[in-house]
Amino acid sequence: MLDRVLNFSLLAAKFVGVILYYANFDVVRKNVVLALPNGAIEVNSGCSGLPSIAILLQMGALFAIYCPVPRLIALLLPLTGALIAFLVNGFRIMILAILTNAQNKSAFDYWHEGMGEQVFSIISMVLFGLLCEWIWEQTHTQEKSETN
């Protein structure tokens, strides 16, 4: 459903294309294809990071519902989770593009599928968990100081 609202493949390709350009890579983006001198990758829906984005949206909503936090934080937390997942996945796509350009197929295969791919999902979740923990500590520290 999210992909119908926003084309995450195109957004990810644009984001990674800009990052690679500013990192001094000779990159050309055409729609969802990122072409470098020695190879190209296509950012299809499976690589867009949508599953991680959806999970962190849901986790953010659950945290906001079950943990007493200010309303603004409750509204922004799911969106922040989605942004974290998008950025971390963009970093993964950038690595895949660099590995393709280096023609390192074994490393590309590792980071594209299986355990390598899961590392980035875990990084997203850990970062989001740390953010939630920080928010929890901030809101409860304020509550404690107000009651004293």
Side-chain angles (χ1 to χ4, degrees):
M1 179 173 155
L2 285 175
D3 209 24
R4 291 182 203 153
V5 176
L6 290 171
N7 185 344
F8 283 96
S9 298
L10 183 58
L11 286 173
K14 285 181 177 182
F15 173 68
V16 173
V18 168
I19 298 297
L20 287 170
Y21 173 80
Y22 282 109
N24 264 350
F25 283 91
D26 186 18
V27 62
V28 175
R29 184 190 60 80
K30 184 170 183 175
N31 201 8
V32 295
V33 175
L34 295 168
L36 291 118
N38 297 321
I41 62 168
E42 180 179 355
V43 184
N44 60 33
S45 61
C47 295
S48 68
L50 198 52
S52 293
I53 291 169
I55 287 171
L56 291 190
L57 272 171
Q58 293 167 359
M59 287 175 60
L62 286 173
F63 183 85
I65 290 168
Y66 290 110
C67 300
V69 293
R71 216 168 268 220
L72 181 62
I73 291 174
L75 291 172
L76 293 177
L77 194 59
L79 298 175
T80 304
L83 180 63
I84 289 170
F86 179 80
L87 294 174
V88 170
N89 187 64
F91 185 70
R92 176 180 159 263
I93 295 169
M94 182 183 71
I95 290 172
L96 293 173
I98 292 169
L99 291 172
T100 297
N101 191 52
Q103 298 179 336
N104 189 339
K105 183 160 174 32
S106 62
F108 175 89
D109 289 342
Y110 176 78
W111 291 110
H112 186 250
E113 298 174 359
M115 190 59 194
E117 178 185 20
Q118 294 304 313
V119 167
F120 287 93
S121 295
I122 292 167
I123 290 169
S124 294
M125 288 182 205
V126 167
L127 290 173
F128 186 70
L130 291 171
L131 175 65
C132 289
E133 180 182 13
W134 181 79
I135 289 170
W136 178 262
E137 288 174 2
Q138 296 303 309
T139 56
H140 283 75
T141 301
Q142 287 175 355
E143 287 176 7
K144 286 179 185 176
S145 65
E146 289 173 2
T147 58
N148 289 334

